[in-house]
Amino acid sequence: MNGRVSAPKTTRHLQDLQRILRGEAPPPPIAQLLGLLLTSVEPGRVVIELDASVRHANPMGTLHGGVICDLSDLAMGASMATTLEDEESFTTLDLTSKFFKPIWNARLRATGRVVKRTRTLGLIECDVEDDKGSLVAKVFSSCMVLRGDEARGR
């Protein structure tokens, strides 16, 4: 993690993501539905990839912006999860996306990074790039850490 983000004392969430990465646990249902693939996990940073195709198209034939948001949301949420203690959970407060170019068929790579983490909040950013390394979208999110009754069952 970068200098602004402290590693958690307990690492269940990080270990759960590493199990998915190794194929020892199934990915979340949304990842299966959209075809999102976890390709890298480390504390405060997660990479998710997608082979965008016609099945992800909007009525104009290009990649639907909501799919980019889902891809980014999963990368950012997973990167936030790597910073949580075992008994903690989180909820997303907002998500802002900036789109730079249309996509038809391409391998997309979303890199989610925790920029700042306090006891109660996280600021996360995500770069979505195509298979040529060109920036497709930049997405930002803030998350609130949940504890106790708020975190149970999440």
Side-chain angles (χ1 to χ4, degrees):
M1 278 193 271
N2 64 40
R4 296 182 189 145
V5 180
S6 299
K9 294 179 188 97
T10 56
T11 59
R12 176 180 58 88
H13 300 287
L14 174 62
Q15 291 172 3
D16 288 348
L17 286 164
Q18 290 170 334
R19 278 192 282 285
I20 293 169
L21 181 64
R22 292 190 303 264
E24 298 168 1
I30 190 65
Q32 293 176 11
L33 177 68
L34 294 176
L36 307 179
L37 179 66
L38 179 65
T39 60
S40 176
V41 175
E42 59 189 73
R45 184 180 176 278
V46 170
V47 178
I48 309 279
E49 295 186 5
L50 166 70
D51 286 320
S53 67
V54 69
R55 77 184 191 114
H56 302 105
N58 62 27
M60 295 176 288
T62 59
L63 177 64
H64 191 280
V67 174
I68 292 175
C69 289
D70 280 329
L71 171 64
S72 301
D73 188 45
L74 187 54
M76 292 186 297
S79 64
M80 178 68 180
T82 68
T83 72
L84 298 174
E85 301 293 334
D86 288 0
E87 71 283 354
E88 295 176 329
S89 184
F90 75 95
T91 189
T92 300
L93 297 174
D94 59 25
L95 184 142
T96 302
S97 48
K98 306 294 182 190
F99 304 110
F100 300 114
K101 63 190 255 184
I103 295 295
W104 287 267
N105 296 296
R107 177 94 172 179
L108 298 182
R109 177 186 198 91
T111 304
R113 286 177 299 283
V114 177
V115 175
K116 175 73 174 171
R117 171 68 164 38
T118 69
R119 179 168 154 64
T120 56
L121 295 173
L123 173 65
I124 304 98
E125 66 180 14
C126 184
D127 291 335
V128 180
E129 298 175 327
D130 66 15
D131 38 13
K132 295 181 177 105
S134 177
L135 191 63
V136 171
K138 182 84 172 180
V139 186
F140 303 90
S141 180
S142 56
C143 297
M144 180 174 62
V145 178
L146 304 174
R147 293 180 186 83
D149 289 339
E150 292 178 326
R152 281 192 216 352
R154 291 184 52 94

